[in-house]
Amino acid sequence: MNYTTRPKAILLLADGTAFYGKSIGISGKTFGEVCFNTGMTGYQEIFTDPSYFGQIMVTTNPHIGNYGVNVDEVESEKIMISGLVCKNFSFNHSRPNSESNLYDYFEKQNLICISDVDTRALVSYIRDNGAQNAVICTDGTSVEELKEMLTKVPDMKGLELASTVSVTEPYFFGDENATFKISALDLGIKKNILRNLAKRNCFIKVFPYNSTFEELQSFNPDGYFLSNGPGDPEPLEGVISVAKQMINSEKPVFGICLGHQIIGLANGVSTFKMFNGHRGINHPVMNIITGKGEITSQNHGFAVNRDELENHSDLEITHYHLNDNTVAGMRMKSKPCFSVQYHPEASPGPHDSSYLFDEFVALLKS
């Protein structure tokens, strides 16, 4: 048996707290807001989700990399997280349809990873102290130097990130002979959202985040879609203005996650940065309309203000999170516009929320 020694590594939080582990072999340092995901599977989908751009991901599942990677399980063209913190990093994998191991996948994109961390202690610390900026260092830089570097990393509150992950040119997805046409504003859109719309007889034109309403309207769509994405929604003033025009067009509008927050802001309802956010595939949501619970996939660090929403004359809550009562869905009373704060395109086991795409298509028909 061959034994190898891996270099020491450190995760340093903005408040000075340090967690130690080992490098998986990729040298360097990376910065971002540290957060955790409680999902037991789906790590490749997490790593490639544009909504995670700018974040250092802590995985609560102790084994990462054990089933390798597969090209069909990506949500974008590249890894979006800033870095990874895990307990056990598996250099070998055992799934028959894996195309490569996770280490090679990381090495090609130079993703910094620290393993052998006490992730239970780290997640407990984040739960108690909230999300904050952090750095993963695997190259031996001193703690004092890292502390100085961390002071220059911008806070997620007030940070506009949609422009960093959005396409720069429009593109099409689906069958051009489909019954319905949708103009989708790309704030960090996931591939599986497009797949779900396309398999429901929709042809989608995806537009850059800074597109004008006139550009979206030129496709002559039957409806509009506002995608998920990273960062704070409030700085996206141009997107908020376009969302108002979408709503006033009287055509159906559907928003997911960041798109949900944008619809709230377009109606004068503020958003706020959460202490920790919701990231996982087992979040319980109550559907007020049906009285049924849903097990959902979630990934967000901002939320719509519930008090303002409840006092709004033209908005109503349709879903709420059963753990903390935050808004998980809403709709307008006078317009064919609705949104959710979770991911109905995700399939973490249950498919409880896929009906939302059917509801959107039903609005397109009517």
Side-chain angles (χ1 to χ4, degrees):
M1 176 180 283
N2 293 324
Y3 292 90
T4 57
T5 300
R6 291 193 278 123
K8 293 180 180 179
I10 182 175
L11 170 72
L12 181 66
L13 307 187
D15 66 5
T17 305
F19 290 82
Y20 295 90
K22 296 178 181 179
S23 168
I24 65 169
I26 302 170
S27 181
K29 59 182 74 72
T30 186
F31 300 83
E33 182 186 61
V34 67
C35 62
F36 59 89
N37 188 295
T38 58
M40 297 301 288
T41 60
Y43 56 73
Q44 192 177 359
E45 291 92 330
I46 293 168
F47 300 159
T48 57
D49 182 349
S51 296
Y52 282 123
F53 186 87
Q55 293 180 318
I56 291 174
M57 178 54 57
V58 182
T59 49
T60 60
N61 184 356
H63 301 289
I64 296 298
N66 50 312
Y67 59 82
V69 295
N70 187 301
V71 70
D72 292 330
E73 295 170 3
V74 298
E75 292 294 351
S76 65
E77 299 305 320
K78 63 180 182 179
I79 295 173
M80 290 292 180
I81 61 171
S82 295
L84 174 66
V85 184
C86 63
K87 177 62 178 174
N88 301 317
F89 187 90
S90 299
F91 290 86
N92 299 314
H93 60 283
S94 57
R95 186 174 55 160
N97 66 342
S98 295
E99 296 173 346
S100 70
N101 62 62
L102 188 59
Y103 176 79
D104 289 345
Y105 189 65
F106 280 4
E107 189 178 41
K108 288 177 183 176
Q109 301 188 49
N110 196 36
L111 187 88
I112 309 299
C113 173
I114 178 174
S115 68
D116 296 80
V117 174
D118 186 347
T119 49
R120 292 182 70 180
L122 174 56
V123 169
S124 180
Y125 189 85
I126 297 171
R127 284 189 185 277
D128 291 340
N129 296 276
Q132 58 184 286
N133 285 333
V135 55
I136 299 173
C137 178
T138 62
D139 62 10
T141 303
S142 71
V143 172
E144 291 308 313
E145 288 180 275
L146 294 174
K147 285 182 179 179
E148 177 61 26
M149 294 176 184
L150 264 175
T151 63
K152 299 174 183 177
V153 179
D155 189 76
M156 190 64 74
K157 174 64 178 174
L159 192 60
E160 185 278 299
L161 291 176
S163 59
T164 62
V165 296
S166 179
V167 291
T168 56
E169 296 292 334
Y171 68 92
F172 297 96
F173 192 96
D175 181 2
E176 64 180 15
N177 296 313
T179 303
F180 307 108
K181 291 166 52 176
I182 297 171
S183 288
L185 198 60
D186 177 17
L187 309 176
I189 199 165
K190 293 173 66 177
K191 282 189 174 182
N192 211 33
I193 289 175
L194 297 174
R195 295 187 194 107
N196 270 276
L197 291 171
K199 74 180 183 181
R200 288 170 171 82
N201 209 15
C202 295
F203 182 48
I204 309 104
K205 187 173 184 179
V206 182
F207 291 83
Y209 85 103
N210 56 353
S211 300
T212 65
F213 177 69
E214 287 71 27
E215 288 172 325
L216 276 76
Q217 192 180 38
S218 67
F219 186 49
N220 193 27
D222 299 292
Y224 298 96
F225 178 77
L226 286 158
S227 85
N228 61 292
D232 190 337
E234 290 192 353
L236 292 167
E237 295 179 358
V239 176
I240 295 168
S241 176
V242 169
K244 291 178 181 178
Q245 293 173 285
M246 288 180 181
I247 293 167
N248 289 332
S249 74
E250 302 289 342
K251 291 184 177 181
V253 180
F254 182 25
I256 289 177
C257 283
L258 182 58
H260 161 84
Q261 297 157 18
I262 292 295
I263 288 173
L265 290 166
N267 280 283
V269 177
S270 67
T271 57
F272 65 94
K273 190 177 188 303
M274 304 173 76
F275 189 62
N276 269 314
H278 297 151
R279 298 175 182 91
I281 56 177
N282 60 347
H283 285 260
V285 162
M286 175 57 70
N287 184 326
I288 298 174
I289 308 302
T290 65
K292 296 179 179 180
E294 300 174 20
I295 302 302
T296 68
S297 174
Q298 301 204 4
N299 166 24
H300 60 100
F302 292 82
V304 172
N305 187 302
R306 179 162 183 162
D307 290 338
E308 293 180 20
L309 183 54
E310 288 178 329
N311 291 315
H312 197 284
S313 61
D314 199 26
L315 287 172
E316 62 180 350
I317 299 174
T318 56
H319 304 74
Y320 66 91
H321 199 294
L322 285 166
N323 288 348
D324 59 11
N325 294 318
T326 50
V327 177
M330 63 185 179
R331 67 183 179 187
M332 296 188 67
K333 300 174 184 177
S334 64
K335 309 280 186 182
C337 173
F338 72 104
S339 60
V340 289
Q341 186 61 87
Y342 52 95
H343 285 274
E345 82 288 347
S347 304
H351 298 83
D352 299 17
S353 307
S354 60
Y355 69 89
L356 290 160
F357 290 104
D358 297 325
E359 290 189 353
F360 183 46
V361 171
L363 287 176
L364 299 177
K365 290 178 180 178
S366 62

